[in-house]
């Protein structure tokens, strides 16, 4: 499979690249500048493109079987991810390429009958995370309203951090996954596994899923 990854040098994107290459896929990694090219594995094709330009996104996607967008924006510019995602979706529509959008957990309902989501519960998130959560919710809502692209929205657990590749996890839909100890977490390595699994299986077309232990 020919896969193109946007945000390929980020925490999740770089792990997606590694996972896809390990499985024998032909991977193109989109970066912002020449410095980004130097961070890529030798077996990966690097491409400099402006993600904010849908026509440039479509041109980059052309000839690929699938795109994975793992874009993140710096502190103070969290909301910019929505406009960038809109550009990715428009580019995917033009190129007629399916795209997996790596999002956040904000949209997920809390388990055990709670009326709240991760974002709406006043006690769930530290204040420092709220701007990112609001942006990821807006990103998810943008995907839901998009009818001219084959998108999939992927949410990690509440805690996403570097770890080990266990290769074992659970898949859910719209409810936060919590383990027997009351924790909601997934390593970036296993999140990448789930993303490449979805790339191969196409199980969640125009809908969302979540991953957790």
């Amino acid at each position: 499979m020919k896969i193109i990854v946007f945000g390929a040098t980020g925490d999740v994107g770089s792990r997606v690249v590694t996972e896809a290459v390990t499985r024998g896929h032909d991977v193109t990694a989109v970066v912002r500048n020449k410095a980004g090219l130097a961070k890529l594995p030798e077996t990966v094709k690097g491409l400099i493109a402006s993600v904010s330009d849908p026509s440039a996104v479509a041109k980059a996607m052309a000839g690929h079987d699938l795109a994975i967008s793992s874009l993140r924006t710096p502190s103070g510019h969290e909301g910019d991810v929505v406009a960038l995602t809109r550009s990715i979706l428009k580019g995917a529509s033009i190129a007629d390429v399916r795209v997996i959008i790596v999002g956040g957990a904000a949209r997920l309902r809390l388990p055990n009958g709670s009326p709240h989501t991760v974002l709406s519960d006043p006690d769930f998130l530290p204040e420092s995370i709220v701007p990112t959560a609001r942006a990821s919710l807006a990103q998810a809502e943008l995907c839901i309203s998009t009818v001219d692209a084959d998108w999939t929205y992927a949410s990690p657990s509440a805690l996403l951090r570097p770890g080990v590749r266990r290769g074992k996890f659970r898949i859910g839909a719209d409810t936060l996954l919590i383990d027997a100890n009351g924790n909601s977490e997934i390593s970036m390595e296993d999140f990448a596994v789930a993303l490449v699994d979805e790339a191969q299986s196409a199980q969640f077309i125009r809908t969302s899923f979540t991953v957790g232990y």
Side-chain angles (χ1 to χ4, degrees), residues 93-109:
S93 174
I94 295 169
D96 193 23
V97 172
R98 180 181 170 232
V99 60
I100 298 174
I101 303 293
V102 177
R107 69 177 185 88
L108 297 171
R109 294 191 298 266

Side-chain angles (χ1 to χ4, degrees), residues 39-57:
K39 300 177 182 179
L40 300 175
E42 292 183 1
T43 55
V44 173
K45 176 186 176 183
L47 182 65
I48 298 173
S50 173
V51 181
S52 61
D53 179 358
S55 61
V57 170

Side-chain angles (χ1 to χ4, degrees), residues 3-8 10-23 25 27 44 66-70 100 102 188-189 191-196 199:
I3 300 175
I4 184 167
V5 181
F6 295 83
D11 287 340
V12 173
S14 61
R15 288 166 171 82
V16 169
V17 168
T18 298
E19 181 68 26
V21 168
T22 300
R23 298 197 199 186
H25 295 296
V27 179
V44 173
L66 176 111
I68 298 177
S69 174
S70 181
I100 298 174
V102 177
M188 292 178 180
E189 288 75 8
F191 192 35
V193 173
L195 291 167
V196 179

Side-chain angles (χ1 to χ4, degrees), residues 193-209:
V193 173
L195 291 167
V196 179
D197 283 351
E198 174 57 26
Q200 297 175 173
S201 67
Q203 192 173 359
F204 295 95
I205 302 292
R206 295 192 181 184
T207 189
S208 308
F209 74 98

Side-chain angles (χ1 to χ4, degrees), residues 4-194:
I4 184 167
V5 181
F6 295 83
T9 59
D11 287 340
V12 173
S14 61
R15 288 166 171 82
V16 169
V17 168
T18 298
E19 181 68 26
V21 168
T22 300
R23 298 197 199 186
H25 295 296
D26 184 352
V27 179
T28 300
V30 178
V31 297
R32 288 179 290 181
N33 49 47
K34 289 184 178 180
L37 294 176
K39 300 177 182 179
L40 300 175
E42 292 183 1
T43 55
V44 173
K45 176 186 176 183
L47 182 65
I48 298 173
S50 173
V51 181
S52 61
D53 179 358
S55 61
V57 170
K59 184 178 179 180
M61 286 185 180
H64 291 86
D65 301 307
L66 176 111
I68 298 177
S69 174
S70 181
L71 301 173
R72 282 295 174 268
T73 47
S75 178
H77 297 273
E78 292 86 356
D80 291 354
V81 75
V82 180
L84 294 176
T85 301
R86 183 177 292 109
S87 180
I88 290 285
L89 291 169
K90 183 62 178 177
S93 174
I94 295 169
D96 193 23
V97 172
R98 180 181 170 232
V99 60
I100 298 174
I101 303 293
V102 177
R107 69 177 185 88
L108 297 171
R109 294 191 298 266
L110 298 184
N112 303 320
S114 170
H116 289 291
T117 64
V118 167
L119 178 58
S120 71
D121 188 309
D123 301 318
F124 195 92
L125 293 174
E127 193 62 31
S128 61
I129 303 298
V130 170
T132 299
R134 286 174 177 160
S136 75
L137 179 60
Q139 182 190 40
E141 291 173 340
L142 171 64
C143 289
I144 292 169
S145 68
T146 298
V147 297
D148 58 351
D150 284 335
W151 56 270
T152 298
Y153 189 85
S155 294
S157 290
L159 182 58
L160 174 67
R161 59 184 175 184
V164 297
R165 184 190 188 281
R166 302 183 193 175
K168 294 183 179 180
F169 43 79
R170 291 179 294 154
I171 298 291
D174 301 314
T175 300
L176 189 72
L177 296 174
I178 293 179
D179 66 18
N181 296 318
N183 300 316
S184 175
E185 61 182 305
I186 189 73
S187 72
M188 292 178 180
E189 288 75 8
D190 278 335
F191 192 35
V193 173

